[in-house]
Amino acid sequence: MGRRKIFAGNWKMYKTYSEALELVNGLKAGLKKTAGREYILFPPSPYLKDISALCVSTPFVTGAQNMYSENQGAFTGEISPLMVKDCGASFILIGHSERRHVFHETDEDVNRKVKAALAHGIEPLLCIGELLNERENGETVSVLKRQIHGAFSGIEKSAAEKVSIAYEPVWAIGTGKVATPEIAEKAHVSIRDIIKELYGEDLALSVPILYGGSVKPDNIAGLYKMNNIDGFLVGGASLEIKGFLEIINI
């Protein structure tokens, strides 16, 4: 069936302001827009408003890399859903492996953020994935099930339909390793099976599931041929104009 195709670049904590402007202008100039594809940029939050303005009337939209689940309050260093929307962003990354494993966000934290994003009309891009030891111990599916059940706890189907998912095996992020197309496809099928258990087959078949984890121009073709891979969440390769254009123009 015709699922949404999403190509996203997560800039993480990289780029000065001038470098960020150069990057987005280069991407705008070099994009060969393909019908049916969505293109999302996740810049660092200090640049989010200006990058959003640069993307107006282009195929690109923006998202925030993180946010807190409260609208306002004494939460030094955090940004709220209201701030994300005010900066012109329409997406939010939630549950990225670095948020989970570096900053120790729990499944409950992820769930609160998903609910806050949905309440404010911001589309969550939910990140899930297993550690190397979890894969080696045969725990991939159980980890994905725990993360998905945790993220969607208390969320009705009508709201869950607005969530996209990115499968990012933690052992393949920034390591140079990448899941083979077959490994990635198998995980994506498992994710659809878990969504089917929660919400039924129609939502399981329609949810966009992206792959993330050392995606580069030289490995994207095989991954994109897989039936259940609907796009990519790109990290390091999204920081360089030529390489990211090769990915999103595939």
Side-chain angles (χ1 to χ4, degrees):
M1 63 182 300
R3 287 187 294 270
R4 295 165 61 196
K5 305 298 182 184
I6 300 174
F7 289 71
N10 176 18
W11 299 358
K12 305 190 181 187
M13 198 177 72
Y14 291 100
K15 299 296 183 185
T16 63
Y17 181 70
S18 61
E19 290 170 342
L21 297 184
E22 180 182 5
L23 176 56
V24 71
N25 283 323
L27 295 175
K28 286 165 55 178
L31 177 67
K32 298 175 182 177
K33 187 177 185 305
T34 300
R37 289 188 184 176
E38 300 174 47
Y39 307 93
I40 312 168
L41 303 178
F42 290 96
S45 58
Y47 314 150
L48 184 56
K49 190 174 184 67
D50 285 358
I51 299 299
S52 297
L54 274 177
C55 291
V56 171
S57 300
T58 78
F60 291 100
V61 298
T62 59
Q65 296 179 18
N66 182 45
M67 71 177 192
Y68 196 55
S69 53
E70 298 292 330
N71 289 346
Q72 59 184 6
F75 305 108
T76 300
E78 295 289 342
I79 61 174
S80 74
L82 297 175
M83 295 172 184
V84 170
K85 286 211 74 173
D86 197 42
C87 285
S90 51
F91 283 81
I92 178 74
L93 278 184
I94 299 178
H96 191 280
S97 64
E98 291 154 11
R99 299 303 312 176
R100 294 179 188 266
H101 300 296
V102 177
F103 298 98
H104 308 294
E105 290 186 4
T106 65
D107 292 329
E108 291 75 20
D109 293 326
V110 169
N111 179 243
R112 284 190 287 269
K113 291 184 179 187
V114 171
K115 289 176 176 175
L118 293 170
H120 290 278
I122 306 168
E123 182 168 338
L125 179 50
L126 170 68
C127 301
I128 57 176
E130 79 281 15
L131 297 165
L132 179 59
N133 67 299
E134 292 168 334
R135 165 161 286 277
E136 291 177 340
N137 291 333
E139 299 171 356
T140 295
V141 175
S142 63
V143 170
L144 296 177
K145 180 173 288 190
R146 172 181 58 78
Q147 292 175 338
I148 291 171
H149 279 251
F152 285 96
S153 178
I155 295 175
E156 298 294 327
K157 181 177 181 179
S158 59
E161 292 172 346
K162 300 177 176 67
V163 180
S164 303
I165 295 174
Y167 169 63
E168 43 163 29
V170 183
W171 48 271
I173 299 173
T175 64
K177 298 179 180 179
V178 63
T180 65
E182 293 74 22
I183 288 174
E185 173 74 358
K186 184 176 180 180
H188 283 227
V189 169
S190 296
I191 292 167
R192 294 200 193 281
D193 288 341
I194 298 165
I195 295 295
K196 180 179 178 180
E197 294 171 0
L198 285 176
Y199 294 111
E201 186 173 21
D202 57 338
L203 182 52
L205 291 175
S206 65
V207 60
I209 306 177
L210 286 60
Y211 174 78
S214 294
V215 176
K216 294 179 172 58
D218 60 1
N219 62 35
I220 188 174
L223 290 162
Y224 199 47
K225 289 177 181 177
M226 297 293 104
N227 290 333
N228 287 283
I229 296 179
D230 304 313
F232 300 92
L233 176 59
V234 185
S238 73
L239 298 170
E240 193 267 319
I241 295 170
K242 181 178 181 293
F244 193 42
L245 284 174
E246 287 181 28
I247 291 171
I248 62 180
N249 286 336
I250 185 174

